[in-house]
């Protein structure tokens, strides 16, 4: 039995060898000479395959590209037609129907496939060479399957500089072309455009290496790539390609989900569909030279010199101011806001008619508030002793009864709200400065580490969909992909530092005047506390640093880097404006920064949940309205209504008593008008958010801050003029400059060049070319102008009340 089985096995093996030899000797398996450009039709099955040979001669310096197009009417996935192309240095194979997979395991089958073979280029030493290509057609089907084969040589395979080239591609018919760097070009931009949004496509830049990855499932394996709807642009540098040439690959995706589209309803389900003609896309590619290195130098000089001119202007203004005042006065006294005469001091007595309305000055002060000369010298050295730091207790004598009496007067003057010890209040506001430095350090270090990681991932993977640049104006430098967006933030840093120097000068002059016991410093003008100004300067510098970090790789995950300190800047400006005439009752640094932290948390939650979740907008609008009412009550009653859970109950009781039972006129009409207008504005924002649910929640929050700041600033200036106070030339110029800069800056801000709220491909539809020096785009100009606008805004707050330096504090109204 064993012998019979061995014999039968040997006989079967011999039969198989004979069949294989017969098949090899059959004419159907021998290579058939074929011609380029000729359409070949045939049929294959398990026992019959076809082999075609295409021969050509290549010349030195000539790139010969060959494209193979095949078609089969069969939709039988069990027995596909297999195509194998053999070249001198590689093999390329695929099947028909060609299967692509989409979301949720959907499959798309294509009967018509075209592939470009990896081109061969003989070396100059080899001279002319003969090349041959074999195309094998086979199938394991037990029946005949018809096919069509067409092999052509490409005449327009190499792209030319500044010359547009049009072509068509589909998922089963990808395209790629060759580009060589000219001798005098170190960097180029590959621009691709299409008239239609869909189908979604991918543009890839790959090195001259075979095989070329030109299918949807492998195009991301090599090189640099980005998805595309109507527009794409990739900057390519010669130094990244040793051969000084590269392939530009175009792949059409089987679905549009990656580009923001949805899967068509006609193909829902898991059934296999042939969907070819609907996925054809016409594209146009143009390779243009990028900017030269000299443009980088010009842009850096422009950026630094533009803002260093502000330093020169500040020095000139300070020098002219000094010369003018020293020539006008003989005996001078230097104050924090400038230089004032002290040869004829104003008497310390209160003039007739300054009883502040309902309550007499003598009764409110208890005879204890004297001029600084009567009080005698004080120790004005600002030490850092923790004993003198601000705490929950008040340092005014008999404060529990005295301050509440004073703050209920109908007409308040600055002397009523600047009664605390100057050293204690000054240390209170210095906490703003030290806290913001601490926040900046702890915030910036992880940010820098994160954006370095992002940039590294982009450079290593080549995935340019990670970062939302304006790719039509993204100029790389070193490892940075968009150096221009980073450089344009230098203005925030330079102008923030300049503002710190200006504040430091005023602080030093103020300290000197205090040491001289200058009466104008002790009893005249707005009390000089510089802690908030220092904090504003640091915030402006950090806005530049964090904005630059954000623009290293702008995306959905790090948007808060660009906005966090903008919230803080707006909040600090409002606090400074309020502190000007309410120095004793302004918010502490701890509560202010805690409020900013809450705002930033809400901004993050809004970006995550604010797109489609109505519950978030309901909660946020409720918080917004309640916070506006609570803050309004606190401001209206000058801090006598403590912000806690019972503030609304107390406010309702006061409203019921004053408005319903007594129907009395508001005691503080000016404050009431401001707060009513402010609440209407904030309620309008809340209603707008509920109705429209804006997608850019971060900008929505920032808009609330800016509108409240502008409203308060306008109210302050109107009340200042209404009180017969003046606007000196410098603050008037700063106000005009601020208005002009903000209008121009906002114009460029609303020129949306990208949006991380959309897909990367949709964001690229908004990309625009550079508009300044061929290096900066609209958003860079926004950086320049917004830095100048913030700087002038800070100067407005710093100089707005310089006209009051010779006015007694008991003559300066509070509003």
């Amino acid at each position: 039995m064993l012998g019979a089985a061995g014999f039968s096995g040997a006989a079967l093996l011999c039969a198989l060898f004979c069949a294989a030899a017969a098949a090899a000797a059959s004419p159907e398996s021998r290579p058939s000479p074929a011609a380029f450009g000729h359409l070949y039709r045939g049929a294959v099955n398990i026992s019959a395959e076809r082999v075609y040979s295409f021969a050509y001669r290549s010349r030195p310096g000539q790139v010969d590209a060959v494209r193979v197009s095949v078609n089969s009417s069969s939709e039988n996935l069990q027995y596909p037609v297999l195509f194998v192309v053999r070249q001198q240095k590689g093999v390329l194979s695929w099947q028909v129907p060609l299967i692509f997979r989409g979301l949720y395991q959907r499959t798309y089958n294509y009967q018509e496939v075209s592939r470009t073979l990896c081109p061969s280029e003989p070396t100059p030493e080899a001279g002319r060479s003969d090349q041959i290509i074999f195309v094998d057609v086979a199938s394991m089907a037990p029946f005949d399957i018809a096919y069509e084969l067409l092999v052509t040589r490409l005449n327009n395979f190499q792209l030319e500089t500044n010359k547009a080239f049009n072509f068509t591609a589909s998922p089963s018919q990808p395209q790629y072309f060759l580009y060589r760097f000219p001798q005098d070009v170190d960097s180029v931009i590959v621009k691709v455009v299409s008239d239609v949004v869909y189908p979604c496509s991918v543009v890839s830049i790959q090195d001259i290496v075979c095989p070329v990855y030109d299918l949807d499932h492998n195009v991301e394996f090599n090189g640099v790539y980005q998805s595309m709807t109507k527009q794409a642009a990739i900057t390519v540098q010669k130094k990244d390609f040793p051969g000084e040439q590269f392939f530009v690959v175009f792949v059409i995706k089987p679905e549009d989900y990656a580009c923001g589209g949805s899967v068509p309803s006609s193909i829902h389900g898991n059934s296999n569909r042939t969907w070819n003609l609907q996925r054809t896309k016409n594209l146009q590619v143009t390779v243009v030279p990028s900017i030269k290195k000299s443009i980088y130098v010009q842009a850096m000089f422009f950026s630094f010199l533009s803002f260093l001119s502000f330093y020169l202007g500040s020095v000139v203004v300070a020098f002219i101011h000094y010369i003018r005042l020293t020539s006008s006065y003989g005996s001078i006294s230097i104050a924090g806001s400038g230089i004032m005469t002290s040869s004829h001091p104003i008497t310390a007595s209160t003039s007739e008619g300054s009883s502040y309305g309902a309550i007499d000055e003598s009764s409110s002060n208890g005879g204890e508030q004297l001029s600084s000369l009567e009080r005698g010298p004080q120790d004005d050295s600002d030490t850092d002793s923790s004993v003198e730091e601000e705490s929950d207790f008040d340092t005014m004598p008999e404060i529990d009864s005295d301050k509440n009496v004073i703050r209920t007067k109908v007409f308040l003057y600055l002397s009523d709200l600047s009664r605390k010890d100057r050293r204690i209040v000054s240390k209170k506001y210095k906490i703003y400065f030290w806290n913001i430095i601490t926040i900046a350090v702890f915030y910036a270090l992880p940010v820098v580490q994160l954006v370095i990681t992002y940039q590294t991932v982009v450079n290593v993977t080549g995935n340019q969909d990670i970062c939302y640049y304006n790719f039509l104006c993204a100029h790389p430098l070193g490892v940075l992909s968009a150096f221009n967006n980073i450089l344009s933030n230098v203005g925030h840093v330079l102008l923030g530092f300049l503002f710190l120097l200006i504040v430091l000068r005023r602080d030093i002059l103020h300290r000197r005047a205090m040491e001289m016991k200058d009466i104008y410093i002790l009893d005249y003008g707005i009390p000089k506390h510089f802690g908030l100004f220092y904090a504003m300067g640091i915030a402006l510098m950090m806005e530049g640093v964090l904005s630059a970090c954000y623009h290293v790789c702008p995306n959905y995950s790090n948007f808060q880097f660009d906005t966090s300190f903008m919230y803080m800047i707006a909040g600090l400006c409002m606090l400074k404006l309020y502190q000007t005439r309410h120095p004793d009752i302004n918010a502490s640094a701890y509560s202010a920064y805690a409020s900013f932290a809450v705002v930033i948390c809400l901004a993050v939650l809004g970006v995550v949940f604010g797109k489609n979740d109505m519950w978030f907008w309901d909660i946020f609008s409720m918080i917004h309205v309640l916070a506006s009412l609570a803050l309004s009550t606190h401001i209206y009653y000058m801090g006598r209504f403590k912000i806690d859970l019972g503030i609304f109950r107390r406010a309702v009781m006061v409203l019921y008593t004053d408005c319903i039972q007594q129907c009395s006129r508001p005691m503080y009409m000016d404050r009431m008008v401001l707060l009513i207008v402010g609440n209407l504005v904030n309620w309008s924002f809340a209603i707008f958010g509920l109705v429209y649910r804006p997608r850019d929640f971060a900008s929505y929050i920032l808009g609330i801050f800016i509108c409240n700041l502008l409203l308060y600033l306008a109210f302050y200036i109107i009340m200042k003029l209404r009180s017969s106070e003046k606007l000196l030339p410098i603050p008037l110029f700063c106000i005009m400059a601020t208005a002009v800069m903000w209008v121009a800056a906002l114009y460029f801000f609303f020129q949306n060049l990208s949006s991380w709220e959309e897909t990367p491909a949709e964001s690229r539809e908004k990309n625009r070319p550079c508009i300044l020096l061929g290096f900066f785009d609209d958003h860079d100009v926004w950086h320049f102008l917004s830095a100048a606008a913030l700087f002038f805004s800070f100067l407005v707050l710093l100089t707005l009340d310089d006209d009051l330096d010779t006015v007694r504090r008991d003559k300066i109204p509070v509003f």
Side-chain angles (χ1 to χ4, degrees):
M1 294 292 294
L2 292 175
F7 178 77
S8 61
L12 178 60
L13 185 61
C14 182
L16 289 176
F17 276 117
C18 292
S26 64
E28 295 180 348
S29 62
R30 296 173 183 170
S32 301
F36 291 101
H38 182 75
L39 179 62
Y40 294 93
R41 293 184 175 90
V44 291
N45 55 45
I46 190 171
S47 61
E49 64 178 271
R50 303 292 183 186
V51 180
Y52 299 89
S53 63
F54 297 84
Y56 64 95
R57 175 168 293 185
S58 60
R59 293 176 298 177
Q62 176 184 343
V63 178
D64 294 294
V66 176
R67 188 166 180 84
V68 179
S69 301
V70 299
N71 187 14
S72 176
S73 59
S74 173
E75 297 184 12
N76 192 329
L77 299 181
Q78 296 297 323
Y79 299 105
V81 180
L82 306 178
F83 293 87
V84 179
V85 181
R86 292 175 289 155
Q87 296 176 267
Q88 180 178 343
K89 293 184 178 180
V91 176
L92 182 64
S93 63
W94 65 89
Q95 70 178 46
V96 177
L98 185 62
I99 301 175
F100 291 95
R101 296 192 178 275
L103 289 176
Y104 312 115
Q105 302 303 315
R106 289 186 177 90
T107 58
Y108 305 96
N109 309 327
Y110 293 84
Q111 273 68 47
E112 185 176 352
V113 180
S114 295
R115 304 287 299 275
T116 301
L117 306 183
C118 196
S120 61
E121 180 181 0
T123 59
E125 296 80 8
R128 292 174 178 265
S129 62
D130 294 326
Q131 302 288 333
I132 188 168
I133 298 174
F134 293 99
V135 180
D136 299 354
V137 186
S139 176
M140 298 299 291
F143 48 84
D144 288 345
I145 299 180
Y147 68 90
E148 293 181 349
L149 172 66
L150 176 65
V151 180
T152 57
R153 300 182 66 176
L154 299 180
N155 297 322
N156 297 310
F157 181 70
Q158 187 167 338
L159 300 175
E160 299 181 16
T161 306
N162 291 320
K163 185 176 181 180
F165 180 72
N166 297 279
F167 61 95
T168 302
S170 72
S172 63
Q173 298 174 332
Q175 298 269 16
Y176 65 87
F177 304 95
L178 174 70
Y179 179 79
R180 288 178 174 173
F181 282 97
Q183 291 296 326
D184 58 341
V185 175
D186 294 324
S187 178
V188 296
I189 302 177
V190 179
K191 299 181 179 180
V192 188
V193 295
S194 176
D195 294 332
V196 295
V197 175
Y198 300 120
C200 178
S201 55
V202 176
V203 182
S204 174
I205 304 297
Q206 300 181 22
D207 201 359
I208 307 296
V209 177
C210 296
V212 178
Y213 298 99
D214 61 348
L215 292 177
D216 176 59
H217 66 272
N218 63 16
V219 68
E220 300 176 359
F221 290 175
N222 187 25
V224 178
Y225 62 92
Q226 56 183 233
S227 58
M228 169 191 165
T229 52
K230 298 183 68 174
Q231 181 175 254
I234 301 179
T235 300
V236 186
Q237 300 184 80
K238 182 188 291 186
K239 66 180 182 63
D240 296 330
F241 296 91
E244 299 184 357
Q245 54 186 351
F246 56 85
F247 288 135
V248 186
V249 184
F250 304 92
V251 174
I252 308 300
K253 300 184 75 67
E255 290 181 346
D256 297 327
Y257 178 81
C259 293
S262 58
V263 179
S265 57
S266 61
I267 60 169
H268 278 297
N270 294 322
S271 60
N272 300 322
R273 301 297 179 95
T274 299
W275 193 38
N276 186 25
L277 297 179
Q278 301 176 13
R279 304 296 297 175
T280 300
K281 188 167 188 174
N282 296 322
L283 299 165
Q284 182 185 84
V285 58
T286 309
V287 183
V288 298
S290 185
I291 61 174
K292 298 183 180 296
K293 294 181 180 179
S294 59
I295 303 297
Y296 282 82
V297 178
Q298 294 177 16
M300 286 188 280
F301 271 105
F302 171 81
S303 301
F304 283 95
L305 292 179
S306 297
F307 293 106
L308 289 177
S309 64
F310 283 79
Y311 285 75
L312 179 61
S314 300
V315 172
V316 171
V317 170
F319 181 74
I320 294 176
H321 193 214
Y322 176 80
I323 295 298
R324 187 184 63 182
L325 292 181
T326 52
S327 62
S328 301
Y329 301 104
S331 177
I332 60 174
S333 173
I334 302 178
S337 62
I339 304 172
M340 301 174 297
T341 60
S342 61
S343 57
H344 302 286
I346 301 175
T347 177
S349 62
T350 304
S351 61
E352 184 180 357
S354 60
S355 60
Y356 310 118
I359 300 177
D360 184 69
E361 173 72 16
S362 60
S363 63
S364 64
N365 291 352
E368 294 186 9
Q369 177 157 353
L370 304 174
S371 69
S372 59
L373 296 179
E374 293 169 340
R375 286 195 300 266
Q378 296 181 0
D379 182 15
D380 295 315
S381 60
D382 293 331
T383 64
D384 290 331
S385 172
S386 60
V387 178
E388 295 178 339
E389 291 184 359
E390 181 70 8
S391 60
D392 292 336
F393 67 87
D394 207 316
T395 57
M396 290 173 54
E398 301 176 359
I399 193 63
D400 292 334
S401 61
D402 195 39
K403 73 174 183 180
N404 289 321
V405 172
I406 290 176
R407 296 175 190 174
T408 54
K409 294 192 294 184
V410 177
F411 300 105
L412 278 172
Y413 290 84
L414 186 58
S415 58
D416 299 322
L417 296 180
S418 58
R419 298 163 57 85
K420 295 182 180 179
D421 187 278
R422 186 197 64 80
R423 295 168 299 169
I424 301 297
V425 178
S426 179
K427 290 184 179 298
K428 169 184 175 180
Y429 292 121
K430 280 185 177 179
I431 298 176
Y432 277 94
F433 172 67
W434 293 112
N435 277 9
I436 201 170
I437 289 181
T438 304
I439 293 170
V441 171
F442 279 90
Y443 196 98
L445 290 179
V447 167
V448 172
Q449 182 180 7
L450 179 62
V451 297
I452 290 176
T453 302
Y454 271 126
Q455 186 67 72
T456 302
V457 171
V458 171
N459 295 340
V460 171
T461 64
N463 183 5
Q464 295 200 351
D465 284 352
I466 296 177
C467 306
Y468 287 72
Y469 302 118
N470 174 18
F471 288 91
L472 288 177
C473 187
H475 303 296
L477 181 66
V479 298
L480 301 174
S481 299
F483 175 69
N484 53 303
N485 294 149
I486 299 172
L487 177 63
S488 59
N489 285 283
V490 70
H492 294 87
V493 179
L494 292 179
L495 294 184
F497 185 71
L498 175 59
F499 183 74
L500 289 177
L501 293 179
I502 295 174
V503 174
L504 178 62
R505 172 185 173 272
R506 290 198 167 212
D507 194 5
I508 292 174
L509 295 177
H510 175 73
R511 290 172 182 269
R512 291 177 182 175
M514 291 294 297
E515 294 173 357
M516 296 169 58
K517 302 299 184 295
D518 191 336
I519 188 175
Y520 290 101
I521 295 298
L522 301 174
D523 289 312
Y524 290 74
I526 302 295
K528 303 296 187 289
H529 302 296
F530 297 99
L532 270 170
F533 283 128
Y534 284 123
M536 289 160 57
I538 295 295
L540 181 55
M541 295 179 67
M542 287 307 303
E543 171 59 26
V545 172
L546 293 178
S547 178
C549 290
Y550 165 74
H551 284 92
V552 169
C553 182
N555 58 54
Y556 174 87
S557 302
N558 60 7
F559 75 96
Q560 68 271 21
F561 301 164
D562 196 25
T563 55
S564 296
F565 272 81
M566 287 297 292
Y567 302 147
M568 299 179 71
I569 288 174
L572 289 174
C573 288
M574 284 189 282
L575 288 171
K576 183 58 194 178
L577 201 57
Y578 186 78
Q579 179 221 41
T580 302
R581 308 211 180 205
H582 310 79
D584 286 355
I585 60 174
N586 204 14
S588 68
Y590 307 112
S591 59
Y593 288 128
S595 302
F596 297 154
V598 172
V599 170
I600 294 174
C601 289
L602 287 175
V604 174
L605 293 175
V607 172
V608 176
F609 300 106
K611 292 182 179 180
N612 302 311
D613 297 321
M614 192 63 191
W615 63 266
F616 170 80
W617 285 99
D618 293 335
I619 296 176
F620 174 77
S621 300
M622 185 183 302
I623 294 175
H624 186 187
V625 171
L626 293 178
S628 299
L629 291 174
L631 190 60
S632 299
T633 304
H634 186 76
I635 293 175
Y636 183 76
Y637 289 103
M638 291 293 181
R640 289 181 293 112
F641 266 50
K642 186 177 181 181
I643 297 181
D644 55 19
L645 296 178
I647 186 172
F648 298 108
R649 179 180 57 83
R650 297 193 298 272
V652 169
M653 293 178 60
V654 171
L655 288 174
Y656 177 78
T657 303
D658 293 349
C659 299
I660 297 178
Q661 289 187 341
Q662 301 179 4
C663 195
S664 59
R665 179 178 179 272
M667 182 176 295
Y668 316 110
M669 182 57 69
D670 293 333
R671 261 178 277 165
M672 177 62 71
V673 171
L674 168 66
L675 295 174
I676 289 177
V677 175
N679 276 273
L680 290 177
V681 170
N682 283 277
W683 295 351
S684 300
F685 269 103
I687 295 173
F688 175 82
L690 279 173
V691 174
Y692 294 99
R693 285 178 287 175
R695 299 183 65 182
D696 191 353
F697 188 80
S699 297
Y700 171 76
I701 291 286
L702 187 59
I704 294 176
F705 269 89
I706 292 177
C707 284
N708 281 276
L709 174 59
L710 294 178
L711 178 65
Y712 189 25
L713 180 61
F715 169 81
Y716 190 94
I717 294 176
I718 291 172
M719 291 301 298
K720 180 178 178 67
L721 298 176
R722 181 182 171 189
S723 303
S724 300
E725 298 177 8
K726 298 181 297 182
L727 289 177
L728 296 181
I730 290 181
L732 183 60
F733 169 78
C734 292
I735 291 174
M736 297 175 61
T738 299
V740 172
M741 288 293 178
W742 274 122
V743 170
L746 290 174
Y747 169 79
F748 288 100
F749 175 76
F750 288 111
Q751 305 298 314
N752 292 325
L753 304 179
S754 62
S755 175
W756 46 259
E757 298 170 338
E758 301 172 339
T759 63
E762 292 174 317
S763 174
R764 270 185 281 275
E765 293 181 26
K766 303 177 180 180
N767 289 175
R768 296 181 187 175
C770 305
I771 63 170
L772 180 62
L773 299 178
F775 191 83
F776 298 110
D777 60 17
D778 297 78
H779 197 74
D780 295 323
V781 177
W782 148 255
H783 287 161
F784 289 137
L785 295 178
S786 63
L790 286 171
F791 176 71
F792 282 119
S793 301
F794 289 2
L795 290 183
V796 169
L797 299 180
L798 183 64
T799 62
L800 188 58
D801 290 313
D802 282 356
D803 60 301
L804 302 178
D805 286 338
T806 56
V807 179
R808 285 183 58 90
R809 292 174 188 168
D810 54 13
K811 306 293 187 199
I812 301 176
V814 171
F815 42 78

